[in-house]
Amino acid sequence: MITHGYTTDTQTKAAELASSILSAAAPPEIAAACGAVEEYLKKHTAEQTRWFFSITFPTLICRIFGFDDSASSAPKLLNGWLDVATSSNDIQLSGRIFNLLSPNGVLLSTVSAVDRLSLVKYLFPVERLPEWVKYMLQNERYSRTLGDFCPLFKNRVKEDVMKGSSFQIQLNVFEYYVFWFAFYPVCRGNNEGSEATRVGINKKFRLEKWTCSIPGLASTKREIKQKNEGNLFVKLLYAYLCAYVPDYDVNAYQPYRSSLLHFGSGFDSNVIERAEFFVNVLIHFWLVDNDFSPVPASLSKSFGVTFPFCSVLGEMPPTSGLGEVVNVFVKYLNLNSSSLIGGLDLVDYTLSPGDKTSASVDALKSRDATPNVHSVNAWNSLIQRPLYRFILRTFLFCPLESSIKNVSQVFSLWISYLEPWKSTLEEFAELEAKLGLPIKHKQEAALAAREYSSSWQGYVLANYLFYSSLVMHFIGFAHKFLHTDAEVIVQMVLKVINILTSSKEMTDLIKNIDVVYHMNPSGQSKSTLSTLYRFVPLIREQLKDWEDGLCESDADGSFLHENWNKDLRLFGNSEDGGQQLLQLFVLRAESELQAISGGNHAQKLQYVDSLKAQLSCLFGTRITMSSQRMHEPSRDHHTSRDNIFTPKSFGNRMVADIKYKGDWMNRPISDDEVAWLAHLLVKVSGWLNELLGLNHVDNNSHENPGQSYVELSTDTNISGVAEIMKLVFWSFLSVIVALSASGVKFMKRHGLRVNLRMLASKKVVMLVLIGVACSAMRRVFA
């Protein structure tokens, strides 16, 4: 029995420790506070640490990550211990903090013991949860089904006894810490995104500054590894992944798949439950978060849940700055698949859409369902949809005039996901050595071929949209940002095409799936294609579900605006097909590179020549460009460089003569415009163009019909002032109509359209406001 005096003493010591933690700001003070926490926990058993986790632990979390514990709705990061250790480059301080937060340290060991006794429970702030979870908790019916709807919140949604219909997320100590750990990079990204300085196009923004983070574009990978190793948060992330997420020996934890009753005595269900919890937290905080379609559409329909987020979050990209940590997270999960890839059965990847959907829905509806994380490809299947939408939303909604460092990190993530045979095994060997962890993959790394083989066929088929549809979206992104730095954008496109053509076996597989996808089932002839047709229903369902709600607005100018989410078009021959868009990209890239002042034109054009060669290999046809087009002076060159997009197709006509939807008027809103006024003027301009018939080029512009006139009768008698004024009015109106018709005809002939969006410029609006203010002041003083 614990006496009252002892309880008071532990409470006082916990409060004193919290005060010292709160005041620790300099490196020596932080190191001393870490030592004090470890010393306190070593002297007290788990039963005696109730006051520590009630008073001290929340303060410790705030100081470690730098959270502002005020009640403001907008979270802010102060100078946390992680930031101090990183900015000061203090190796000893980083080591002290890492030892304190290590999964094998005294703090988390005590956390596990406290959770086994269920001594302390926390309520996680609702305003810090992912956006879709906030919405669910605002609805009483949705809140009651949230635990069944998402396994992450199973048995964690509790009703507020004080408010009645209000619901909260109740967590134990470990879960509470992991939630804050996952929220840290999100909070940092939001703060950096709000404080980042916008970089205009006219400020000569260059992309070479962020090319070091793109695999294949950087000189070496050593710089990336050194950056990761110097990041204390990345070290902690990898240590937690190694400790809590089973890797290649996952079957050792769960040898049977039918029922918990058949598990051996050595099986610990907490291992799988903790792994599933940790992975789901990172997925929902990092990959999903502000996605307006956070879960599969079929799952939402089965539970009767609708998310009206498209109008609010429709053009919001994922949180910036997450590319680095997500890259580590996804690479580690892919290690699980790659370690057993040699013995992988293709059937594991080929569940029919109906079976896959119903199985997931039934598993989620059942409160007693066993976590399905035991198969080799379980982690990969769990992150497919959120990762695809994370990458796609980054490409679609990246603001034009903002720094695209975040896009470079996401591009690196996508490239590593496309090539798991190259980015596995050795990636974390040096990091493991730094952390003092056993190097688990050293033997396999020596035997790895680091190139595509038939054993990866199941991986490519399961992730086919990453190799096809996402490539098409990236082509649109490349067209959109080509004007920023043509050389680097060309290298990025070249890197993607090189991956698709790196192995003839993989290229044939991607092409054959595309052929089967578009062919009539009854018209199959080759046995190889017949065997691949069973994957088509799964790919169709993935395409419909993974791109759910991602339809562009009138201001994004995407190439796929007309035929969104209907078909795979990478190998299509239409003007929206991949071949035509890539040929057009080569044409634009050549023009952009020729226009750049400075030397090394030959070296820059080598990338274009390499891209032509790889496109010829990918599409099986020779890519040729007219040299006359390159040497012909372009009178509209400056106009074309200012425009965001160029035509969807090209042929014998000049680029400036081809009309398209992704023009200047449909580009994303910039900082120099008033957003609501720009949207209004774009709609008015579209209505006027449709009314006047200016959306189509006048094909009869070469005709020069004779002038028509109206012969007035000579016997008309005009008398009286009223009739004279009426005659003058109708004559003036006739002149106005004739001039308007001539103007419309001129605009049709030259392909011009009404564009009122320029009036949305802040400079124009400011001039108008100044004029109105001056007029009002003049009237007042008059």
Side-chain angles (χ1 to χ4, degrees):
M1 180 177 179
I2 301 177
T3 62
H4 177 72
Y6 184 83
T7 303
T8 306
D9 182 62
T10 55
Q11 181 180 359
T12 303
K13 290 183 178 180
E16 293 175 352
L17 184 58
S19 177
S20 63
I21 291 173
L22 191 61
S23 61
E29 297 173 347
I30 296 174
C34 292
V37 171
E38 293 177 343
E39 190 68 22
Y40 180 92
L41 295 176
K42 289 178 181 178
K43 291 182 178 179
H44 296 79
T45 63
E47 295 84 354
Q48 300 169 347
T49 56
R50 181 189 298 272
W51 286 113
F52 172 85
F53 288 102
S54 300
I55 301 175
T56 312
F57 190 66
T59 304
L60 179 63
I61 289 180
C62 290
R63 294 301 295 129
I64 288 173
F65 299 111
F67 294 130
D68 182 8
D69 57 355
S70 62
S72 60
S73 59
K76 295 181 180 180
L77 283 180
L78 304 176
N79 201 17
W81 292 359
L82 293 180
D83 298 328
V84 172
T86 303
S87 60
S88 63
N89 198 21
D90 191 333
I91 300 178
Q92 292 184 351
L93 178 61
S94 298
R96 290 302 302 266
I97 298 176
F98 179 84
N99 291 336
L100 175 65
L101 303 178
S102 170
N104 299 322
V106 62
L107 176 62
L108 292 184
S109 299
T110 307
V111 166
S112 298
V114 170
D115 285 339
R116 283 193 294 268
L117 299 174
S118 298
L119 292 180
V120 181
K121 294 290 184 181
Y122 296 97
L123 293 177
F124 193 80
V126 175
E127 60 272 13
R128 308 299 190 248
L129 292 168
E131 294 294 334
W132 73 274
V133 182
K134 298 179 190 176
Y135 170 76
M136 291 281 288
L137 292 176
Q138 293 174 1
N139 186 297
E140 182 178 357
R141 183 174 68 87
Y142 291 172
S143 299
R144 297 186 184 279
T145 60
L146 180 60
D148 296 330
F149 187 73
C150 180
L152 175 61
F153 299 100
K154 182 179 180 181
N155 299 327
R156 297 182 176 96
V157 180
K158 304 296 181 181
E159 187 173 1
D160 190 349
V161 295
M162 302 296 295
K163 297 182 180 180
S165 60
S166 178
F167 289 83
Q168 297 173 322
I169 303 299
Q170 187 181 87
L171 307 170
N172 62 27
V173 183
F174 175 78
E175 295 166 350
Y176 186 73
Y177 172 75
V178 172
F179 266 56
W180 284 117
F181 178 82
F183 178 71
Y184 170 73
V186 177
C187 184
R188 172 164 296 281
N190 289 332
N191 290 339
E192 291 178 352
S194 61
E195 299 173 1
T197 303
R198 291 271 183 176
V199 182
I201 299 175
N202 58 349
K203 293 183 180 179
K204 208 172 183 179
F205 176 62
R206 306 293 289 177
L207 303 185
E208 288 91 341
K209 297 179 181 180
W210 52 269
T211 54
C212 61
S213 62
I214 304 176
L217 305 188
S219 56
T220 62
K221 292 185 178 180
R222 179 66 180 173
E223 298 177 1
I224 305 176
K225 291 183 179 180
Q226 287 179 348
K227 181 178 180 181
N228 285 347
E229 291 163 9
N231 190 327
L232 181 56
F233 184 85
V234 172
K235 288 182 179 180
L236 288 171
L237 171 62
Y238 185 71
Y240 294 153
L241 288 171
C242 293
Y244 303 134
V245 182
D247 52 0
Y248 58 89
D249 58 346
V250 63
N251 288 328
Y253 293 103
Q254 196 164 352
Y256 301 101
R257 307 170 67 167
S258 58
S259 172
L260 286 172
L261 298 176
H262 296 148
F263 291 153
S265 58
F267 172 76
D268 185 3
S269 61
N270 292 330
V271 173
I272 296 299
E273 292 175 359
R274 177 169 288 191
E276 185 190 37
F277 167 81
F278 191 81
V279 171
N280 278 325
V281 169
L282 301 187
I283 287 177
H284 286 283
F285 270 93
W286 294 352
L287 298 181
V288 180
D289 191 20
N290 58 355
D291 191 351
F292 49 84
S293 179
V295 296
S298 59
L299 185 61
S300 300
K301 185 178 180 180
S302 65
F303 282 94
V305 177
T306 57
F307 296 99
F309 293 158
C310 193
S311 59
V312 180
L313 306 174
E315 296 182 14
M316 183 179 295
T319 303
S320 61
L322 294 179
E324 182 182 5
V325 292
V326 173
N327 204 349
V328 174
F329 172 55
V330 172
K331 280 184 178 180
Y332 181 86
L333 295 186
N334 270 352
L335 282 175
N336 301 328
S337 299
S338 62
S339 59
L340 289 179
I341 199 66
L344 178 62
D345 187 357
L346 196 59
V347 178
D348 291 340
Y349 280 108
T350 58
L351 280 176
S352 64
D355 295 340
K356 199 171 185 179
T357 303
S358 62
S360 60
V361 172
D362 293 340
L364 291 175
K365 283 186 176 181
S366 175
R367 292 181 178 270
D368 300 325
T370 304
N372 185 22
V373 295
H374 41 67
S375 63
V376 175
N377 65 318
W379 296 132
N380 183 265
S381 62
L382 192 62
I383 66 173
Q384 281 178 321
R385 185 185 191 272
L387 179 62
Y388 182 89
R389 293 180 63 87
F390 177 83
I391 299 174
L392 179 55
R393 290 188 297 128
T394 302
F395 289 156
L396 284 183
F397 306 134
C398 176
L400 268 175
E401 295 186 358
S402 64
S403 173
I404 54 178
K405 177 183 177 181
N406 180 56
V407 180
S408 71
Q409 295 176 343
V410 176
F411 178 81
S412 173
L413 167 66
W414 180 37
I415 291 300
S416 64
Y417 192 81
L418 291 177
E419 294 184 299
W421 45 87
K422 284 188 176 180
S423 60
T424 56
L425 306 174
E426 292 180 342
E427 288 293 323
F428 302 110
E430 199 163 346
L431 185 58
E432 288 174 347
K434 289 283 184 179
L435 298 178
L437 300 174
I439 302 178
K440 308 172 185 178
H441 312 293
K442 186 174 182 180
Q443 182 178 1
E444 291 86 353
L447 302 176
R450 301 183 67 85
E451 62 182 16
Y452 176 82
S453 62
S454 58
S455 59
W456 288 98
Q457 180 178 346
Y459 181 89
V460 174
L461 291 175
N463 300 278
Y464 182 76
L465 295 186
F466 287 88
Y467 297 86
S468 178
S469 180
L470 195 54
V471 175
M472 286 295 296
H473 293 292
F474 177 72
I475 295 172
F477 167 83
H479 275 280
K480 181 178 178 181
F481 284 92
L482 180 62
H483 65 287
T484 56
D485 194 311
E487 182 180 356
V488 174
I489 295 295
V490 169
Q491 292 183 58
M492 295 173 70
V493 175
L494 178 60
K495 178 64 178 177
V496 175
I497 302 301
N498 281 338
I499 293 176
L500 299 181
T501 59
S502 60
S503 170
K504 186 179 184 302
E505 185 178 359
M506 185 177 71
T507 304
D508 293 340
L509 176 64
I510 296 174
K511 284 184 176 181
N512 290 335
I513 286 292
D514 187 83
V515 171
V516 173
Y517 184 91
H518 293 95
M519 74 185 304
N520 189 349
S522 60
Q524 300 177 21
S525 57
K526 297 182 180 180
S527 57
T528 304
L529 299 182
S530 300
T531 57
L532 292 177
Y533 186 77
R534 59 181 176 142
F535 297 96
V536 172
L538 177 61
I539 295 175
R540 290 189 187 277
E541 182 176 298
Q542 287 177 343
L543 181 63
K544 182 180 179 180
D545 179 42
W546 293 3
E547 300 188 1
D548 175 54
L550 282 170
C551 55
E552 302 87 339
S553 67
D554 294 334
D556 62 16
S558 173
F559 287 102
L560 304 180
H561 182 80
E562 292 180 343
N563 299 291
W564 176 261
N565 195 26
K566 290 184 179 180
D567 217 343
L568 301 179
R569 298 183 175 273
L570 179 59
F571 297 97
N573 294 323
S574 63
E575 65 176 11
D576 288 324
Q579 183 173 354
Q580 295 290 336
L581 291 179
L582 285 169
Q583 286 180 344
L584 174 60
F585 177 81
V586 172
L587 183 66
R588 289 191 61 206
E590 287 181 330
S591 177
E592 290 284 342
L593 292 174
Q594 288 282 358
I596 296 176
S597 59
N600 297 328
H601 279 292
Q603 181 179 0
K604 294 176 181 177
L605 291 176
Q606 284 181 358
Y607 296 119
V608 179
D609 295 336
S610 300
L611 181 57
K612 291 180 183 179
Q614 294 302 320
L615 291 179
S616 300
C617 179
L618 178 63
F619 296 109
T621 58
R622 185 176 181 180
I623 306 299
T624 58
M625 296 294 172
S626 173
S627 59
Q628 181 182 0
R629 170 69 180 89
M630 292 304 303
H631 299 287
E632 184 178 356
S634 174
R635 58 185 177 182
D636 298 328
H637 171 70
H638 296 287
T639 303
S640 64
R641 285 179 62 84
D642 291 337
N643 290 343
I644 303 305
F645 297 106
T646 55
K648 293 182 179 179
S649 62
F650 71 97
N652 297 325
R653 296 178 292 170
M654 295 293 292
V655 173
D657 295 334
I658 307 174
K659 305 306 165 189
Y660 56 99
K661 286 191 174 182
D663 58 3
W664 184 88
M665 193 169 63
N666 284 339
R667 66 180 174 81
I669 301 298
S670 66
D671 284 346
D672 297 331
E673 296 177 304
V674 180
W676 67 268
L677 185 58
H679 285 295
L680 177 62
L681 293 177
V682 165
K683 293 181 180 180
V684 173
S685 301
W687 177 76
L688 290 175
N689 288 323
E690 189 68 26
L691 181 65
L692 299 175
L694 298 177
N695 288 332
H696 305 283
V697 180
D698 189 357
N699 296 326
N700 299 323
S701 59
H702 61 280
E703 298 180 2
N704 187 20
Q707 296 181 354
S708 60
Y709 60 93
V710 178
E711 183 177 354
L712 298 177
S713 175
T714 57
D715 57 354
T716 304
N717 294 324
I718 303 175
S719 61
V721 179
E723 292 192 6
I724 291 176
M725 293 299 295
K726 186 183 297 184
L727 177 62
V728 172
F729 172 75
W730 286 112
S731 299
F732 178 75
L733 185 61
S734 300
V735 172
I736 295 297
V737 172
L739 290 177
S740 300
S742 300
V744 171
K745 187 175 181 179
F746 177 83
M747 295 178 70
K748 286 184 178 180
R749 181 181 304 169
H750 293 82
L752 303 177
R753 286 180 292 175
V754 177
N755 184 6
L756 302 178
R757 180 172 176 174
M758 62 184 67
L759 300 179
S761 173
K762 292 182 179 179
K763 297 179 181 178
V764 176
V765 175
M766 185 61 66
L767 290 176
V768 173
L769 292 177
I770 292 175
V772 172
C774 291
S775 178
M777 294 287 290
R778 185 179 302 173
R779 291 183 179 182
V780 170
F781 290 106

